[in-house]
């Protein structure tokens, strides 16, 4: 207890320099008991993309981590980028930590309301800050997306070294961004805003180089490190070096329906999903791939080829980081946490930003993003996203994708490997887990604790549960059957308790009413049980109401879904092969009944 | 002796007229001609050439008078089709030159004038791709086409059925079999993105000639001729491109009843501009002139060339119809 007080006192001046006055309790432990931490975050990475989660994409380095560690098949994030990141680094619900909505989507009635600042607010502290105070080096490379002002950037939120893209996305090759009003991405390096990017910049490579450099620069002092590899990839635009673009030529011409089936089959064989799991219904506005013309299949398939190359490129650079850690002898003492920040991206972000002809953004896109030919895809100034059809593939077997609260928006892959993992190597765990759990888990691992005050005020509570016991094999899940999780983003809402999930989404992705699914038997959310289970609906709505109250949720009065129902075709159940007219095969009569015409 | 000299001069004058004929009879194709297209695709090239030379472009022997003037206006119409064979591209083409050619030279104070009009010898070309992308059998293949490093083997053979008058030395037809074996190379430099494509194209070939035994009562023989074409092409816009061209010819020494000319060593440079007018029609315009022609006995030649190529494929036509609906 005495040593704790001493360290707390020592930590105070450091906290003061960063504008925080939190009290950090730290247990002093020998270095060998304090593992390094590497978080590898894939931006819009799909649940089934990695090889170890059923993907055909070649990810040997991630697969190796999975083989030595544990895969988790019940891991949840937010349905969108910055909200997930905010919970990862604060452990606090988005509606309290400043990311109640994405800054790009804040509704009029949320403007100026605490919890909806659009950046990680100063009522919360951060994981890197607490780890730094606990004696860790804290490094970040990659996408930040939680504020651009000097007091909001990585250096101000606990990172000792950083090379960060502050925007939500942008070119992988340069500082080009998407709109006339925001033509340039903003980057920081070690707390300074960059005027230009390093020579030979390519996002994934440069981020990895920087991270290795940070670790190398300080490794002599023997302190453990926290490395946040927040990759921009595989978020669109799919920019990647030429040598990574042609690794799957023609492989996806078979279409999304086939690839989804293949992934599901592998997932069943791996034990990631139960036997008998159905694929979610193909989105009603996506065509049956087998009916498409070869040229269309090829062009659509090429988008997925690029995406696969992008994921493989991330895997390759992850391999570089792993090799480096092995080389310096730190690999075995490092916890790796690998996951995607939300569902795969099925929305045409570029079209949303560009708008229509005659606008400044449209003109900007025509000039700055002019490389539209398929052979230029991947180059600077090209913009390719793979669309909802492949996003559903990435989210096999789930329904929908990023931005939505169906499983395809929030259910993601997770690999944990490292000295705290005592579960069988290569095993799969079905614990009920959330991105906000990472903060309490890592605080426990590092011997730190959540402060009682931040800037003189009591901080919002952590919503996560530590995984330490679960990783040690002492329990199967950090949550009991009575624990629940809830989500609200863009006005859509969901709550899950045990096997039951209640979801309300705007039409046409939802019904504009509560739907109820039993995920134990219906992982793909095909069978709405709301009318059959009114009591269950009632009890989950009560939990939702509690969530709203506890977290000061303000439902937005304007949402991105407003025009969706008009823009998309009417929704009918999707039945492949209906009507038979469009997919009937040529009739071939019995050979012995064929005859020439009579004279 | 005088008769011998006269005979020699006459022979040289004849050579001055005749050896130029293969130059235009076997019309050079424009840069980017050996890019591959969809199997089953067909094309009709029409190549206009206007050529002037002050001497025998193939035989710049020092004793040839430099006042020979040959003018040729020739159109070559062709037909080409690409087919898959053993998963690689087979190209069949036929080229038929036609037009008029006239020449004047003065030998020993005597002026010789000749002209000829009509059809030349048709040339059949068979090309087979040995290295490079596989045959383009469907639209996805076509969309994926990039030549990278592509090498073909081509064989040309000209049939001696063109207009020929054995009373004069200047003809469109050659009255002999001739042809060539070559290996056109397309070497992609950088990305294959319309607007940014760059290629280095090399076309080494060797021409072979049989004897013409009825050449103004004499026998014309020609040694094999080495011919190297090179084009550095670059897109200027998505549909507009330019090429720096050079051609070198060596060998090809002609002899008339044993009277020998000299081997050639002719270097010419030029430029070509190309424009893809629409999915079916492309246009090129080019100019080429000799450069190693400063000595009095050197051959001087220049040529303008305009080509139109109309290409079609039922699948592409069908797609275009769908686009218009």
């Amino acid at each position: 207890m005495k040593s704790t007080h001493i360290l707390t006192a020592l930590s105070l001046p450091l906290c003061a320099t960063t504008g925080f006055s939190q009290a950090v309790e730290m247990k002093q432990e020998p270095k060998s008991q304090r593992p390094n931490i590497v978080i590898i975050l894939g931006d819009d990475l799909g649940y089934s993309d990695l090889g170890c989660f059923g993907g055909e994409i070649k990810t040997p380095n991630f697969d190796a981590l999975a083989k030595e560690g544990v895969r988790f098949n019940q891991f949840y994030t937010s349905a969108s980028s910055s909200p997930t990141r905010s919970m990862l680094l604060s452990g606090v619900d988005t509606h309290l930590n400043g990311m109640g909505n994405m800054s790009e989507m804040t509704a009029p009635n949320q403007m100026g309301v605490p919890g909806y600042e659009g950046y990680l607010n100063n009522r919360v502290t951060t994981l890197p800050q607490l780890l730094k105070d606990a004696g860790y080096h804290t490094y970040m490379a990659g996408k930040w997306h939680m504020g651009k002002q000097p007091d909001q950037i990585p250096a101000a939120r606990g990172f000792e070294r950083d090379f960060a893209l502050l925007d939500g996305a942008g070119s992988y090759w340069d500082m080009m961004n998407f709109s006339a009003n925001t033509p340039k991405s903003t980057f920081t390096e070690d707390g300074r805003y960059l005027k230009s990017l390093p020579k030979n910049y390519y996002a994934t490579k440069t981020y990895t180089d920087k991270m290795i450099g940070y670790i190398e620069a300080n490794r002599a002092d023997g302190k453990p490190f926290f490395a946040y590899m927040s990759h921009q990839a595989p978020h669109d635009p799919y920019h990647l070096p030429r040598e990574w673009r042609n690794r799957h030529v023609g492989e996806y011409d078979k279409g999304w329906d086939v690839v989804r089936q293949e992934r599901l089959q592998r997932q069943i064989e791996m034990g990631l999903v139960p036997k008998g799991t159905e694929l979610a219904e193909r989105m009603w506005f996506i065509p049956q791939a087998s009916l498409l013309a070869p040229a269309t299949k090829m062009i659509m398939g090429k988008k997925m080829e690029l995406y696969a190359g992008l994921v493989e490129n991330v895997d390759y650079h992850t391999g570089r980081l792993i090799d480096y850690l092995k080389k310096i002898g730190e690999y075995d003492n490092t916890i790796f946490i690998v996951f995607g920040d939300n569902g795969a991206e099925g929305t045409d972000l570029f079209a949303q930003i560009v708008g229509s002809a005659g606008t400044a953004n449209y003109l900007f896109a025509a000039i700055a993003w002019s490389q539209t030919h398929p052979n230029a895809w991947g180059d600077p100034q090209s913009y390719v996203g793979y669309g909802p059809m492949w996003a559903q593939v990435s989210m096999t077997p789930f329904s929908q994708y990023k931005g939505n609260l169906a499983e395809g928006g929030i259910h993601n892959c997770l690999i944990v490997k490292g000295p705290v993992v005592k579960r069988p190597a290569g095993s799969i765990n079905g614990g009920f887990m959330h991105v906000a759990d990472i903060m309490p888990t890592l605080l426990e691992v590092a011997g730190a604790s959540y402060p009682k005050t931040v800037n003189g005020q009591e901080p919002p509570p952590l919503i996560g549960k530590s995984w330490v016991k679960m990783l040690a094999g002492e329990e199967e899940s950090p949550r009991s059957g009575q624990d629940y999780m809830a989500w609200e983003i863009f006005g859509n809402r969901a709550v899950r308790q045990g096997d039951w999930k209640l979801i309300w989404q705007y039409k046409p992705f939802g019904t504009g009413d509560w739907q109820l699914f039993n995920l134990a038997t219906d992982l793909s959310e095909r069978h709405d049980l709301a009318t059959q289970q009114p009591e269950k609906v009632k009890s989950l709505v009560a939990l939702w109401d509690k969530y709203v109250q506890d977290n000061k949720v303000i439902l937005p009065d304007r949402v991105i879904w407003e025009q969706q129902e008009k823009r998309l075709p009417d929704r009918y159940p999707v039945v492949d092969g209906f009507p038979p007219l469009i997919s009937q095969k040529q009739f071939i009569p019995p050979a012995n009944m064929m005859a020439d015409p009579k004279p | 002796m005088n008769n011998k000299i006269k005979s020699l001069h006459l022979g040289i004058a004849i050579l001055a007229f005749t050896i130029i004929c293969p130059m235009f009879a076997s019309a050079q194709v424009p840069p980017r001609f050996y890019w591959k297209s969809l199997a089953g695709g067909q094309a009709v090239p029409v190549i206009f050439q206007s050529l002037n030379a002050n001497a025998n472009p193939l035989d710049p022997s020092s004793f040839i008078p430099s006042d020979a003037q040959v003018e040729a206006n020739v159109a070559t119409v062709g037909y080409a089709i690409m087919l898959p064979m053993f998963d690689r591209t087979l190209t069949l083409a036929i080229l038929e030159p036609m037009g008029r050619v006239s020449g004047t030279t003065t030998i020993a104070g005597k002026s010789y004038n000749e002209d000829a009009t009509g059809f030349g010898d048709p040339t059949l070309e068979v090309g087979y791709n040995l290295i490079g992308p596989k045959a383009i059998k469907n639209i996805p293949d076509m969309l994926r086409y990039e030549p990278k490093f592509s090498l073909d083997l081509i064989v040309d053979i000209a049939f001696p059925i063109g207009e020929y008058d054995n009373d004069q030395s200047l003809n469109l037809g050659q009255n002999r079999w001739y042809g060539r074996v070559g290996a056109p190379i397309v070497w992609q430099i950088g990305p294959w993105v319309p607007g940014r494509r760059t290629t280095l194209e090399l076309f080494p070939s060797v021409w072979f000639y049989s004897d013409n035994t009825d050449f103004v009562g004499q026998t014309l023989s020609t040694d094999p001729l080495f011919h190297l074409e090179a084009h550095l092409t670059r897109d200027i816009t998505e549909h507009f491109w330019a090429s720096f061209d050079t051609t070198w010819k060596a060998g090809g020494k002609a002899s008339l009843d044993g009277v020998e000319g000299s081997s050639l060593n002719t270097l010419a440079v030029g430029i070509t501009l190309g424009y893809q007018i629409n999915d079916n029609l492309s246009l090129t315009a080019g100019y080429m002139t000799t450069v190693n022609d400063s000595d009095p006995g050197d051959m001087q030649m220049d040529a303008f060339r305009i080509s139109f190529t109309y290409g079609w494929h039922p699948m592409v036509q069908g797609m275009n119809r769908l686009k218009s609906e």
Side-chain angles (χ1 to χ4, degrees), chain A residues 277-291:
Chain A
T277 298
E278 288 181 281
L279 279 177
E281 183 180 85
R282 188 180 64 243
M283 306 287 279
W284 70 100
F285 50 87
I286 298 172
Q288 186 177 329
S290 61
L291 297 179

Side-chain angles (χ1 to χ4, degrees), chain A residues 211-231:
Chain A
M211 185 58 76
I212 291 172
Y214 298 156
I215 297 169
E216 177 66 18
N218 286 326
R219 76 180 172 99
D221 67 14
K223 288 168 67 175
F225 62 82
F226 168 64
Y228 176 36
M229 283 298 311
S230 178
H231 282 295

Side-chain angles (χ1 to χ4, degrees), chain B residues 20 24 43 46 83 89 107 180 206 241 255 261 270-271 280 285 304 324:
Chain B
I20 198 171
F24 52 77
V46 180
L83 300 167
T89 301
I107 306 293
R180 68 173 163 178
V206 179
W241 55 270
S255 61
I271 57 167
N280 298 104
F304 287 96
S324 64

Side-chain angles (χ1 to χ4, degrees), chain A residues 312-512:
Chain A
E312 290 177 1
N313 183 262
V314 174
D315 179 82
Y316 167 77
H317 288 291
T318 299
R320 288 177 53 221
L321 177 61
I322 289 171
D323 289 345
Y324 167 73
L325 293 175
K326 286 179 176 173
K327 186 178 160 191
I328 64 171
E330 293 291 345
Y331 176 73
D332 290 334
N333 192 37
T334 299
I335 300 172
F336 290 86
I337 301 176
V338 180
F339 62 101
D341 65 341
N342 42 245
E345 177 63 279
T347 303
D348 190 342
L349 180 65
F350 191 58
Q352 272 189 2
I353 296 170
V354 168
S356 54
T359 62
N361 284 349
Y362 194 89
L363 179 63
F364 177 82
I367 296 168
W369 294 90
S370 59
Q371 294 299 312
T372 54
H373 192 279
N375 287 3
W377 290 352
D379 284 352
Q381 299 185 25
S382 67
Y383 198 113
V384 180
Y386 62 6
M389 51 289 290
W390 293 113
Q392 261 206 296
V393 169
S394 284
M395 297 312 296
T396 302
F398 305 131
S399 175
Q400 304 181 11
Y401 41 76
K402 177 182 177 181
N404 301 290
L405 293 180
E407 292 292 288
I410 56 176
H411 194 145
N412 228 304
C413 60
L414 171 69
I415 301 167
V416 182
K417 181 263 170 197
V420 296
V421 179
K422 307 298 180 194
R423 306 187 75 86
S427 62
I428 296 168
N429 177 268
F432 186 26
M433 298 159 73
H434 192 271
V435 66
D437 300 341
I438 293 173
M439 174 116 164
T441 303
L442 295 181
L443 291 181
E444 186 175 347
V445 167
S449 61
Y450 193 59
K452 293 188 170 47
T453 60
V454 173
N455 289 332
Q457 295 183 340
E458 184 181 354
L462 295 178
I463 59 170
K465 307 266 187 182
S466 173
W467 299 341
V468 171
K469 282 187 179 176
M470 184 271 298
L471 293 173
E474 296 169 13
E475 60 188 20
E476 285 305 299
S477 172
R479 285 179 177 76
S480 71
Q482 294 306 305
D483 290 325
Y484 75 98
M485 295 176 192
W487 296 260
E488 185 281 326
I489 184 87
F490 312 139
N492 287 335
R493 47 211 97 148
V495 58
R496 179 175 173 180
Q497 185 184 43
D499 294 334
W500 293 95
K501 179 178 174 187
L502 189 71
I503 178 170
W504 188 104
Q505 294 201 110
Y506 280 91
K507 288 182 178 177
F509 282 70
T511 60

Side-chain angles (χ1 to χ4, degrees), chain A residues 1 43 67 155 169 197 243 249 254 298 330 349 425 479 482 490 494 501 511 518 544 547 555 569 599:
Chain A
M1 192 65 191
D43 196 358
K67 193 174 177 185
L197 292 171
E243 61 269 27
V249 174
K254 55 192 168 190
M298 179 264 164
E330 293 291 345
L349 180 65
R479 285 179 177 76
Q482 294 306 305
F490 312 139
K501 179 178 174 187
T511 60
N518 185 335
W544 163 257
Y547 171 74
L555 292 174

Side-chain angles (χ1 to χ4, degrees), chain A residues 100-323:
Chain A
N101 204 335
M102 294 180 75
S103 60
E104 296 89 344
M105 301 291 174
T106 308
N109 67 329
Q110 296 170 334
M111 294 277 187
V113 178
Y116 295 84
E117 290 88 345
Y119 57 87
L120 198 59
N121 64 33
N122 63 9
R123 286 182 295 284
V124 299
T125 186
T126 67
L127 176 62
Q129 183 65 55
L130 297 181
L131 291 177
K132 186 163 76 170
D133 294 345
Y136 271 69
H137 287 299
T138 54
Y139 311 132
M140 180 208 163
K143 171 175 156 180
W144 177 246
H145 205 194
M146 287 185 292
K148 293 182 180 177
Q149 295 297 326
D151 61 343
Q152 300 162 5
I153 59 179
R157 301 316 307 258
F159 284 105
E160 184 183 329
R161 303 290 307 271
D162 75 276
F163 185 94
L165 165 68
L166 301 186
D167 299 80
S171 169
Y172 287 57
W173 296 108
D174 48 40
M175 296 178 102
M176 188 77 76
N177 211 281
F178 304 135
S179 70
N181 288 334
T182 314
K184 280 181 73 176
S185 298
T186 308
F187 289 81
T188 58
E189 183 166 24
D190 295 339
R192 309 292 289 182
Y193 295 91
L194 289 180
K195 295 176 184 172
S196 62
L197 292 171
K199 282 181 183 173
N200 301 318
Y201 173 82
Y202 173 70
T204 310
K205 174 185 177 295
T206 302
Y207 298 157
T208 308
D209 290 344
K210 290 287 180 185
M211 185 58 76
I212 291 172
Y214 298 156
I215 297 169
E216 177 66 18
N218 286 326
R219 76 180 172 99
D221 67 14
K223 288 168 67 175
F225 62 82
F226 168 64
Y228 176 36
M229 283 298 311
S230 178
H231 282 295
Q232 183 178 345
H235 195 296
D236 53 334
Y238 301 157
H239 282 174
L240 68 167
R242 287 197 166 268
E243 61 269 27
W244 291 89
R245 296 178 200 172
N246 296 318
R247 297 160 65 93
H248 293 270
V249 174
E251 194 175 315
Y252 294 108
D253 290 10
K254 55 192 168 190
W256 38 85
D257 299 312
V258 174
V259 181
R260 272 213 305 161
Q261 283 288 354
E262 291 172 347
R263 287 194 179 189
L264 175 62
Q265 188 56 39
R266 282 192 292 271
Q267 288 173 331
I268 291 171
E269 288 166 5
M270 289 175 175
L272 284 161
V273 298
K275 278 184 184 173
T277 298
E278 288 181 281
L279 279 177
E281 183 180 85
R282 188 180 64 243
M283 306 287 279
W284 70 100
F285 50 87
I286 298 172
Q288 186 177 329
S290 61
L291 297 179
L292 297 177
T296 309
K297 286 182 185 175
M298 179 264 164
I299 290 293
M300 302 305 288
K302 183 162 183 157
K303 295 180 179 183
M304 186 63 191
E305 292 170 18
L306 290 175
Y307 178 83
L310 202 49
V311 174
E312 290 177 1
N313 183 262
V314 174
D315 179 82
Y316 167 77
H317 288 291
T318 299
R320 288 177 53 221
L321 177 61
I322 289 171
D323 289 345

